[in-house]
Amino acid sequence: MTAYSPDGSLAGFGVVRLTRMAPGRYLANFRRGPVTRTPDDLARILPAFAERLRREGCCSMQLNPRWSGEQDVMKICALLEAAGAVRLPESGQSQHTETGLVALHGTEEQLQSRLKQRCRRQIRKAEKAGIDVRPAASLQEALQFEPLMKNFFRSRGLGLESVPPVEAQWRMTRDKGAFLLAWQQDRLVAGHVMVADGGRAFWLVLARATDCSCAAAGYPLVWEALKAAQEQGFAHYDMAGAAGLPGASGSGGTRGAENRAQFKSAFRPEVIPLVPAYVLPLRQPAHMLLFNLRRAYRGLRTQATGRI
């Protein structure tokens, strides 16, 4: 969806996913959107987006515009609440509400000096183990990452619904970003994809082989991504979530989450808040009935999965 200002310039846009909740009734879901240049632009386009979706049969609109930093987040949250949107509870937040940013200012040597000693040690350990990190030379080489990535996500019980196919990841890194692969004795052991997200470099995916011999491969992969992002002029590298990091609210809760937090903390990111997900009722009473039923069903399914 797009919206334009009276002068014909683009005021905002967003990709919306429609989920059927009943015959002729849908949930409209923006993931990290809609996107606007300023919070005031969001205030202007939100009623038009809501009206358009209401005419299409949507009874609920879920959104979390991608703004960060305490002041901007507070302003966006107040704007959404003034429009009638309700913040979803923590159990309904499908995406992280905080992230870790690694500052990329200074020289490469200064960037390296800001890493924790443990991080620098792990990078040297990976080099001694013969792990060689380099950009994928072609789409054909990049495609070798696909089975490794799928197996990694499957082994950790993670879904790939929000991860683009490898072909799309490759295209996303052709202008800016990096598609990095880690090799050990000609064997692909890990990969990391970094893409552009405005003025930030963004961690899109990192996956490695599940055996312990290449456990340290993630450190040189992220280090090479940091250097590439710095060379490309990005101000920050976004680590795509801050769960469990020092300064973040809450904790990871699981051993896997604790390991991810320990790994990310080695690069000394700063924890900053993001706009959480809100839901805006578009049609009452359909919203109250269908949206709440959907939440209850998803909650029961999660509990059942946890007991298996």
Side-chain angles (χ1 to χ4, degrees), residues 194-243:
M194 172 196 79
V195 298
D197 180 26
R200 300 179 187 176
F202 183 79
W203 166 325
L204 183 64
V205 63
L206 190 150
R208 62 175 178 82
T210 54
D211 57 87
C212 296
S213 62
C214 58
Y219 290 91
L221 277 168
V222 173
W223 169 236
E224 291 299 324
L226 291 175
K227 291 193 293 182
Q230 188 183 58
E231 291 172 0
Q232 293 174 15
F234 291 105
H236 295 92
Y237 170 87
D238 189 329
M239 303 200 81

Side-chain angles (χ1 to χ4, degrees), residues 13-305:
F13 67 92
V15 177
V16 60
R17 176 181 178 182
L18 300 185
T19 300
R20 185 175 182 271
M21 304 213 302
R25 292 292 177 261
Y26 303 91
L27 164 67
N29 188 13
F30 290 93
R31 293 178 66 87
R32 296 296 185 208
V35 177
T36 59
R37 187 174 290 106
T38 68
D40 291 338
D41 284 339
L42 178 63
R44 282 191 288 269
I45 73 168
L46 192 57
F49 275 24
E51 177 58 24
R52 170 65 185 276
L53 291 168
R54 192 190 69 79
R55 293 200 307 266
E56 296 294 329
C58 297
C59 55
S60 311
M61 180 169 74
Q62 192 166 306
L63 68 166
N64 60 333
R66 190 167 179 80
W67 291 85
S68 61
E70 188 172 351
Q71 290 186 348
D72 282 338
V73 167
M74 289 177 62
K75 186 171 184 178
I76 294 295
C77 289
L79 183 158
L80 293 174
E81 289 166 12
V86 177
R87 177 173 174 162
L88 293 175
E90 290 305 311
S91 59
Q93 299 290 336
S94 61
Q95 299 190 72
H96 48 270
T97 57
E98 294 170 306
T99 194
L101 293 185
V102 179
L104 301 175
H105 61 272
T107 64
E108 180 182 317
E109 290 73 22
Q110 290 170 329
L111 176 61
Q112 187 179 54
S113 71
R114 294 195 294 271
L115 306 178
K116 286 187 177 181
Q117 183 178 3
R118 170 170 57 85
C119 185
R120 297 194 294 270
R121 185 169 61 247
Q122 289 293 339
I123 292 171
R124 292 193 298 269
K125 179 181 177 181
E127 291 173 351
K128 290 179 180 178
I131 293 176
D132 177 34
V133 175
R134 59 179 185 265
S138 64
L139 173 59
Q140 288 68 32
E141 188 172 71
L143 286 171
Q144 296 182 50
F145 179 54
E146 185 170 27
L148 185 151
M149 179 185 73
K150 289 182 176 179
N151 185 56
F152 178 83
F153 274 67
R154 188 184 307 113
S155 68
R156 282 157 177 75
L158 303 173
L160 283 163
E161 297 83 5
S162 60
V163 180
V166 169
E167 295 92 333
Q169 296 178 30
W170 172 258
R171 291 194 298 270
M172 294 167 73
T173 58
R174 292 310 84 203
D175 182 25
K176 278 191 170 184
F179 198 118
L180 301 169
L181 298 176
W183 304 83
Q184 189 176 36
Q185 297 179 349
D186 297 325
R187 174 195 170 211
L188 178 62
V189 296
H192 176 42
V193 178
M194 172 196 79
V195 298
D197 180 26
R200 300 179 187 176
F202 183 79
W203 166 325
L204 183 64
V205 63
L206 190 150
R208 62 175 178 82
T210 54
D211 57 87
C212 296
S213 62
C214 58
Y219 290 91
L221 277 168
V222 173
W223 169 236
E224 291 299 324
L226 291 175
K227 291 193 293 182
Q230 188 183 58
E231 291 172 0
Q232 293 174 15
F234 291 105
H236 295 92
Y237 170 87
D238 189 329
M239 303 200 81
L245 288 176
S249 60
S251 63
T254 66
R255 180 63 182 273
E258 291 173 0
N259 289 341
R260 287 192 293 274
Q262 183 182 39
F263 172 73
K264 290 183 179 183
S265 69
F267 298 91
R268 292 191 187 275
E270 176 190 3
V271 175
I272 62 165
L274 301 173
V275 177
Y278 278 75
V279 62
L280 177 64
L282 302 179
R283 288 175 175 267
Q284 292 285 22
H287 161 75
M288 184 175 294
L289 174 64
L290 298 175
F291 188 78
N292 288 335
L293 279 174
R294 183 175 185 270
R295 281 180 53 193
Y297 168 74
R298 289 167 67 90
L300 289 172
R301 189 175 63 177
T302 300
Q303 291 177 18
T305 303

